[in-house]
């Protein structure tokens, strides 16, 4: 496992004016609400409470930039597919994501987290197409595998 000496939240940015000024390569973390992005960040960074793990989905509302040893940045984006937000908030999320993907030169890759218990959603596929459009390298990571028996996990 990779461990980082320094892993810290730099900023929770509501818009492009708030993005940190840095040349560090950025890895974007995306997935539907409640897929486990915060737990993934905490596990990858060897920290229990670096990223807030909420009891209810849809808590990430901003772009959260995490500095990893001054070598990389994780950028945690709002989860998609959570219906308990207003249309205005959904539009704001869309604009925030469009600005980031269209303008941020530091983005080097996208990790799409999917729940191993379910087939990829239409939103997961849309995010994959979004990455292809912007020519971003993609890795797909299955989460919540502990909830499946090994035989069923192989089929998923």
């Amino acid at each position: 496992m990779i461990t980082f000496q320094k892993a810290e939240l730099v900023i929770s940015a509501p818009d492009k004016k708030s993005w940190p000024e840095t040349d560090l390569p950025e890895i974007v973390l995306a997935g539907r609400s409640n897929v486990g992005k915060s737990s993934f960040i905490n596990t990858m960074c060897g920290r229990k409470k670096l990223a807030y793990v909420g009891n209810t989905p849809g808590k990430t509302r901003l772009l959260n930039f995490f500095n990893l040893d001054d070598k990389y940045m994780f950028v945690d984006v709002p989860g998609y597919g959570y219906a308990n937000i207003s249309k205005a908030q959904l539009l704001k999320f869309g604009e925030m994501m469009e600005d980031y993907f269209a303008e941020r030169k530091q983005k080097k890759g996208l990790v799409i987290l999917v729940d191993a218990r379910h087939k990829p959603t239409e939103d997961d596929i849309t995010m994959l197409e979004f990455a292809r459009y912007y020519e971003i390298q993609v890795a797909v990571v299955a989460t919540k595998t502990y909830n499946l028996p090994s035989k069923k996990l192989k089929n998923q």
Side-chain angles (χ1 to χ4, degrees):
M1 161 139 353
I2 301 170
T3 57
F4 298 100
Q5 299 297 317
K6 175 179 138 186
E8 63 186 7
L9 175 64
V10 175
I11 192 167
S12 294
D15 54 40
K16 60 185 170 184
K17 293 178 281 192
S18 304
W19 295 342
E21 292 185 28
T22 174
D23 291 328
L24 296 177
E26 295 175 357
I27 306 299
V28 182
L29 306 173
R32 70 179 184 82
S33 293
N34 202 34
V35 75
K37 289 186 285 123
S38 296
S39 295
F40 177 81
I41 292 167
N42 291 336
T43 298
M44 291 299 294
C45 295
R47 302 265 304 276
K48 293 183 189 239
K49 295 182 180 181
L50 178 61
Y52 175 73
V53 178
N55 292 328
T56 56
K59 292 294 184 189
T60 302
R61 305 281 172 112
L62 307 169
L63 298 181
N64 296 310
F65 291 80
F66 295 89
N67 182 328
L68 309 174
D69 283 342
D70 294 323
K71 293 181 181 177
Y72 309 96
M73 292 278 246
F74 275 163
V75 182
D76 183 20
V77 302
Y80 45 77
Y82 185 58
N84 199 14
I85 58 173
S86 69
K87 287 188 179 187
Q89 188 68 46
L90 272 174
L91 287 172
K92 186 176 178 182
F93 286 174
E95 289 174 19
M96 189 170 42
M97 295 290 289
E98 185 70 36
D99 284 346
Y100 179 83
F101 279 97
E103 298 179 30
R104 192 72 170 170
K105 303 295 183 220
Q106 295 88 329
K107 67 186 176 307
K108 299 299 178 199
L110 170 67
V111 175
I112 299 176
L113 289 97
V114 297
D115 187 329
R117 300 170 297 176
H118 309 288
K119 292 187 182 292
T121 66
E122 192 172 310
D123 289 327
D124 292 321
I125 293 166
T126 299
M127 181 57 73
L128 184 61
E129 290 169 354
F130 203 63
R132 285 183 181 149
Y133 176 82
Y134 285 105
E135 299 178 344
I136 303 168
Q137 292 186 13
V138 176
V140 177
V141 173
T143 63
K144 304 191 180 194
T145 57
Y146 53 83
N147 288 319
L148 291 172
S150 59
K151 186 173 184 177
K152 192 168 185 181
L153 181 60
K154 287 180 185 178
N155 293 332
Q156 290 295 88

